[in-house]
């Protein structure tokens, strides 16, 4: 521990459903019979209006929550059947990035980045690895800064470095640019795309932003927990057309 990454295979969702109770006898479908397969190394945009089920799907894929029915298979292993130590081991192969960064305010940038490693013995220096990652996200020299002294874009870079500290094979980003202006948003997506390129880490980005979605290679849109569109944005698919379509898709 922790040296994951290498065995990354496809992620398959098969008939995934999840309902939440809202008051007596009332159930809202947060995921409604969702099935799709994401190829290893894919960069996928998950779009849809607020409440359409993006966060729920990321939590299910990251095994933070369990579906009511259906199975999720990652690299051949049935995630939805994992328990105990095997479940914890799977979760360590997944990096999470959130809209609100979720940094610990009392810790420096470097300490935030290495925090996930603290319970573990590593064969390498945690601080060296943390410094390398901060440099890789463009924050060399900012190791000792507190989050309150950093801009939103800088805090999100710290959060990305933290998400990468376990060398995840899967990165789940939940509206990572939702609090950023378009320049910073573009830079954050650029970073995610670059790390995906270098490590072949599968990356799923929940986003409202057509400009962000257009830089991914596949777009999955949800409505009321169900997939309504699944568009291949492979090489050559015109960016303007993507932005127009995502704009329409909302
Ligand atoms: N913990 C929860 N308890 C009750 N309802 C929830 C919970 N989490 C999500 N929901 C509901 O599930 C639906 C999907 O929510 P969510 O996955 O957060 O959508 P999105 O991320 O696209 O905004 C919404 O109707 C939301 O209100
Ligand atoms: Mg959400």
């Amino acid at each position: 521990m922790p040296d994951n990454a290498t065995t990354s295979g496809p992620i398959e969702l098969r008939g995934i459903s999840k309902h939440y109770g809202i008051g007596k006898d009332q159930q809202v479908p947060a995921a409604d019979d969702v099935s799709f397969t994401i190829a290893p190394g894919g960069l996928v945009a998950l779009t849809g209006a607020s409440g359409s089920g993006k966060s729920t799907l990321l939590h299910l894929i990251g095994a933070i929550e369990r579906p009511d029915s259906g199975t999720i298979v990652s690299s051949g292993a049935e995630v939805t059947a994992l328990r105990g130590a095997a479940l914890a081991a799977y979760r360590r192969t997944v990096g999470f990035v959130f809209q609100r960064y979720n940094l610990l305010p009392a810790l420096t940038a470097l300490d935030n980045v290495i925090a996930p490693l603290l319970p573990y013995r590593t064969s390498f220096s945690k601080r060296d690895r943390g410094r390398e990652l901060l440099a890789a996200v463009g924050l060399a020299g900012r190791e000792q800064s507190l989050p309150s002294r950093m801009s939103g874009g800088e805090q999100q870079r710290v959060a990305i470095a933290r998400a990468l500290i376990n060398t995840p094979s899967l990165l789940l980003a939940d509206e990572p640019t939702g609090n950023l202006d378009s320049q910073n948003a573009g830079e954050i997506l650029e970073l995610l795309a670059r790390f995906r390129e270098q490590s072949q880490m599968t990356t799923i980005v929940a986003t409202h932003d057509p400009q962000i979605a257009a830089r991914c290679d596949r777009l999955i849109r949800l409505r009321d927990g169900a997939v309504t569109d699944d568009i291949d944005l492979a090489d050559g698919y015109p960016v303007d057309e993507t932005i127009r379509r995502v704009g329409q898709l909302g």
Side-chain angles (χ1 to χ4, degrees):
M1 198 9 286
D3 220 352
N4 311 308
T6 40
T7 55
S8 122
I11 298 163
E12 302 167 56
L13 278 67
R14 301 179 188 153
I16 289 294
S17 292
K18 173 90 182 170
H19 290 75
Y20 289 108
I22 47 165
K24 201 166 171 279
D25 302 330
Q26 261 213 310
Q27 295 263 302
V28 33
D32 185 7
D33 195 18
V34 174
S35 299
F36 55 73
T37 299
I38 296 177
L43 177 57
V44 178
L46 200 55
T47 73
S50 181
S52 60
K54 302 181 295 296
S55 296
T56 298
L57 216 47
L58 293 184
H59 296 162
L60 291 168
I61 294 170
I64 290 175
E65 296 193 53
R66 257 177 219 294
D68 298 334
S69 56
T71 55
I72 298 174
V73 176
S74 176
S75 305
E78 194 182 327
V79 171
T80 32
L82 298 176
R83 298 287 185 278
L87 180 60
Y90 170 75
R91 286 192 184 131
R92 282 199 300 273
T93 70
V94 183
F96 269 96
V97 176
F98 306 93
Q99 179 171 357
R100 292 200 175 82
Y101 327 129
N102 294 6
L103 300 178
L104 294 167
L107 298 187
T108 64
L110 180 58
D111 286 338
N112 265 287
V113 171
I114 66 176
L117 287 181
L118 290 182
Y120 305 107
R121 203 181 272 274
T122 52
S123 58
F124 51 87
S125 155
K126 297 179 176 94
R127 297 185 75 78
D128 285 353
R129 171 109 180 99
R131 276 195 200 89
E132 274 170 33
L133 280 169
L134 279 174
V137 298
L139 291 175
R142 301 298 302 277
E143 292 81 4
Q144 300 310 318
S145 297
L146 289 170
S148 58
R149 299 286 171 167
M150 307 183 100
S151 70
E154 289 169 341
Q155 290 182 62
Q156 193 60 299
R157 287 163 188 269
V158 174
I160 290 170
R162 177 183 58 188
L164 296 174
I165 195 87
N166 271 326
T167 325
S169 48
L170 172 63
L171 189 77
L172 302 176
D174 197 352
E175 309 207 28
T177 65
N179 285 355
L180 302 177
D181 61 41
S182 62
Q183 160 125 16
N184 272 296
E187 288 174 11
I188 290 297
L189 204 275
E190 201 60 51
L191 265 183
L192 294 178
R194 179 151 61 78
F195 287 122
R196 185 283 292 253
E197 197 80 15
Q198 286 168 0
S199 66
Q200 284 306 300
M201 166 182 70
T202 306
T203 305
I204 308 176
V205 184
T207 183
H208 277 114
D209 184 342
Q211 302 274 355
I212 296 296
R215 317 232 333 228
C216 297
D217 47 41
R218 180 173 171 192
L219 185 149
I220 295 172
R221 184 215 180 191
L222 299 173
R223 184 197 288 151
D224 298 334
V227 174
T228 58
D229 301 84
D230 188 344
I231 305 169
D232 184 2
L233 310 176
D235 288 344
Y237 197 94
V239 171
D240 287 351
E241 173 62 12
T242 310
I243 291 171
R244 195 183 64 75
R245 286 194 73 162
V246 181
Q248 286 178 348
L249 300 173

